[in-house]
Amino acid sequence: MTSETYRNPILDADWSDPDVVCVGDDFYLTASSFGRAPGLPLLHSRDLVNWTLVGHALERLEPAAEFGRPRHDCGVWAPSLRYHDERFWIFWGDPDQGVFQINAPQIRGPWTRPHLLKAGKGLIDPCPLWDEETGEAYLVHAWAKSRSGVKNRLTGHRMRPDGTGLLDEGKVIVDGDRIPGWFTLEGPKLYRHDGWFWILAPAGGVETGWQGAFRSRGFFGPYEERIVLEQKDTDVNGPHQGGWVRTPSGEDWFLHFQQRGAYGRVVHLQPMRWGPGGTSRSSEAESGGGWPVLGDDGAPVAEHRRPALPPQPPAAPATDDDFPGGRYGRQWQWTANPGDGWATQHSGDGLRLTCVRSADAHDLRKLPHVLTQRLPGTPCAAEVELRLDSDEPGARAGLAVLGDAFGWIGLQRGTDGTVHLVHRFAEGVAERERDAAHPRIAPEGRARLRIEIGAGARCRFSADVGDGDGFRPSGPVFTATPWRWVGALLGLFALAPTGQGHAGTAAFTRFRINAS
């Protein structure tokens, strides 16, 4: 790679189902956040290659009672980000509730409360369109078979221009069952270009699918289709679902994800042009030109010339944190809506987490009070310093890798009053954690914890308990796993068994992720 080129992925972590918009000289991106809070991350770039996290649009998920516990495969699915009438708009589908919408005058807010635009089970991946030529507004969405019994089709509506309601009952505008070879059609993004209505939508499943393009002279169809991006002979499996963006100079680019197991859905940037191209699976598709051509004639690029935009310094979403004043950075999310008193602000540095009492202390996957961030997609080492400030027998705190299976290393107060270094894990089918190594005394009640994450998301745990031996490895290698739709997460937690009264706190300092 040279200073004139970039390499994919441009966001090498789980920024799932990305969508992008250009406003002036700035680009903004949002992504799925499922059941974590805050939700709807907001990223900013000036060159489409270097991105920073500037906030979240959704402080808490609603209804609050439903998201007071972890629901890793629910919540915010596949949002669409648009700019219209001098406001930012985000539409998303909650598969159990329906299509929601929020908007704001600035990317950093204030964002409106979620407005339920269309109620129903299995309504996912919505995208609005305001037709500047006619003043009409439209909405398209897909279907989740797990909730509705229906998939592989896209439904269209006319929408009120203020985005507060729909004007009809909806009509299936693309039926994937009628297209030979197409299945799991989802994730539509709706555009108007060159006199056509365009829907860019993936099919074929996240592991092995492709990106399709559909066009029609009228919103309700009929649509003709082409495949415009697929793996071909590259290493990029299932390259699909994302958004088209045009730069101020008129260049076209497409951002999409690639499913990478425990690392989640990483984001790629593809050059885009308009002209003959794509793979037709419809005789109608042969009529007319001007189809989008993505990547290298429909294959994902690994390295490419940078967009013709002003040079920017290297940047990426933050990972490290000193927790000034006890506050955690934007990169952290709770595994459910946060509760009062989980983290305490104070005058110094360091994160103070309350040892929250829980009947589920044996299974981190069930706890809402785990503070998480995305697992990096490249080899690295995560490290944090921990002090356990609790006299409660069974109180514990640590650094975890969370997924369908999980592993953690940390400190626990014993029944005899001593503090032990413990290392535990649970397989995906296990209902309780168990020891991955023999506990050992942590004489000062503190430790430096480290997880080295190598190729294939293989994690090696180690700790320094201040006994003069430095970092010592602990237990066997643990291979991180994703949750159902979510990549593995790094997490910090503090907890205690059920009981009465305050159970103390744990102090975390100097969280770092260093490249290996």
Side-chain angles (χ1 to χ4, degrees):
M1 185 174 68
T2 70
S3 59
E4 289 77 36
T5 63
Y6 69 91
R7 288 194 64 84
N8 276 317
I10 56 165
L11 286 168
D12 201 357
D14 187 26
W15 302 96
S16 177
D17 313 316
D19 195 24
V20 63
V21 69
C22 179
V23 181
D25 294 327
D26 298 286
F27 301 93
Y28 300 101
L29 181 149
T30 192
S32 296
S33 51
F34 300 98
R36 303 195 300 280
L40 288 171
L42 302 167
L43 286 79
H44 170 254
S45 177
R46 284 288 183 92
D47 64 1
L48 289 172
V49 174
N50 296 285
W51 293 86
T52 56
L53 179 64
V54 297
H56 290 81
L58 188 65
E59 284 302 310
R60 302 174 71 88
L61 291 97
E62 297 184 1
E66 290 291 321
F67 291 96
R69 56 184 175 84
R71 301 180 69 200
H72 304 296
D73 60 348
C74 301
V76 177
W77 283 25
S80 292
L81 174 63
R82 292 293 181 265
Y83 187 75
H84 166 72
D85 197 22
E86 299 185 347
R87 297 185 73 84
F88 291 91
W89 302 77
I90 300 178
F91 288 65
W92 75 92
D94 179 314
D96 300 303
Q97 298 185 72
V99 173
F100 285 92
Q101 169 263 108
I102 57 174
N103 58 86
Q106 304 290 334
I107 196 69
R108 291 174 174 83
W111 289 87
T112 59
R113 287 280 300 272
H115 172 71
L116 184 60
L117 185 66
K118 180 182 179 181
K121 294 280 190 180
L123 309 179
I124 60 169
D125 308 349
C127 184
L129 172 69
W130 287 270
D131 189 336
E132 303 299 339
E133 296 179 11
T134 65
E136 298 285 324
Y138 304 94
L139 181 84
V140 64
H141 69 79
W143 295 86
K145 187 174 182 179
S146 59
R147 271 66 165 193
S148 66
V150 174
K151 72 169 187 176
N152 204 33
R153 65 188 62 173
L154 306 179
T155 294
H157 292 268
R158 293 179 61 243
M159 182 176 71
R160 291 182 55 176
D162 63 3
T164 60
L166 302 176
L167 298 176
D168 55 37
E169 294 300 312
K171 174 186 175 183
V172 175
I173 58 176
V174 179
D175 186 346
D177 290 344
R178 295 179 177 271
I179 307 173
W182 284 59
F183 59 96
T184 317
L185 175 63
E186 57 188 351
K189 295 294 182 286
L190 181 60
Y191 307 95
R192 195 86 158 94
H193 173 68
D194 196 26
W196 297 85
F197 287 91
W198 290 91
I199 299 174
L200 301 182
V206 298
E207 296 284 356
T208 57
W210 58 87
Q211 177 67 37
F214 300 82
R215 72 178 187 182
S216 174
R217 291 296 186 184
F219 172 69
F220 288 102
Y223 283 84
E224 48 188 324
E225 87 286 338
R226 286 190 178 183
I227 293 175
V228 293
L229 186 70
E230 56 187 329
Q231 180 172 356
K232 296 189 176 180
D233 59 355
T234 73
D235 295 329
V236 182
N237 60 293
H240 68 181
Q241 189 152 334
W244 162 40
V245 66
R246 175 164 285 179
T247 70
S249 65
E251 283 189 345
D252 294 312
W253 296 85
F254 184 74
L255 289 91
H256 67 92
F257 77 72
Q258 173 200 11
Q259 173 68 41
R260 289 191 57 221
Y263 301 111
R265 298 173 179 182
V266 303
V267 179
H268 291 239
L269 177 66
Q270 302 296 338
M272 175 172 166
R273 61 182 173 85
W274 292 87
T279 302
S280 172
R281 296 205 183 182
S282 166
S283 58
E284 289 183 287
E286 296 303 326
S287 61
W291 287 83
V293 182
L294 305 184
D296 181 9
D297 287 329
V301 299
E303 183 174 344
H304 194 270
R305 172 189 60 81
R306 285 175 175 263
L309 293 163
Q312 301 293 320
T319 56
D320 297 352
D321 206 343
D322 287 320
F323 309 107
R327 297 173 176 85
Y328 47 86
R330 299 185 182 101
Q331 66 268 35
W332 298 97
Q333 296 171 289
W334 299 100
T335 47
N337 281 337
D340 294 335
W342 288 357
T344 305
Q345 295 183 9
H346 54 90
S347 58
D349 288 349
L351 177 69
R352 291 181 185 171
L353 293 183
T354 299
C355 294
V356 178
R357 294 187 181 275
S358 174
D360 294 316
H362 57 280
D363 191 343
L364 298 186
R365 295 166 296 199
K366 297 180 179 180
L367 300 181
H369 54 276
V370 182
L371 196 61
T372 67
Q373 64 169 279
R374 293 160 179 82
L375 188 75
T378 53
C380 63
E383 187 174 319
V384 70
E385 299 174 11
L386 168 63
R387 184 183 72 243
L388 184 61
D389 296 324
S390 172
D391 295 326
E392 180 78 12
R396 69 203 75 157
L399 171 65
V401 176
L402 290 167
D404 282 334
F406 70 87
W408 67 274
I409 191 167
L411 299 175
Q412 178 170 321
R413 178 72 66 177
T415 55
D416 60 357
T418 59
V419 175
H420 291 84
L421 178 79
V422 295
H423 176 193
R424 299 198 176 114
F425 76 100
E427 311 98 307
V429 296
E431 297 181 356
R432 301 182 66 89
E433 65 187 25
R434 56 195 179 99
D435 286 330
H438 294 292
R440 56 190 176 100
I441 296 292
E444 303 297 325
R446 62 179 66 211
R448 294 166 62 203
L449 310 172
R450 178 187 292 167
I451 303 175
E452 297 176 37
I453 306 157
R458 292 187 292 273
C459 301
R460 296 180 181 273
F461 292 75
S462 60
D464 177 359
V465 297
D467 57 5
D469 290 340
F471 276 100
R472 289 170 52 185
S474 179
V477 170
F478 172 83
T479 300
T481 63
W483 268 311
R484 186 174 184 184
W485 310 121
V486 182
L489 300 168
L490 292 170
L492 304 176
F493 71 92
L495 61 87
T498 54
Q500 300 297 315
H502 184 63
T505 62
F508 295 87
T509 54
R510 285 186 53 79
F511 182 89
R512 296 290 184 270
I513 295 181
N514 300 308
S516 295

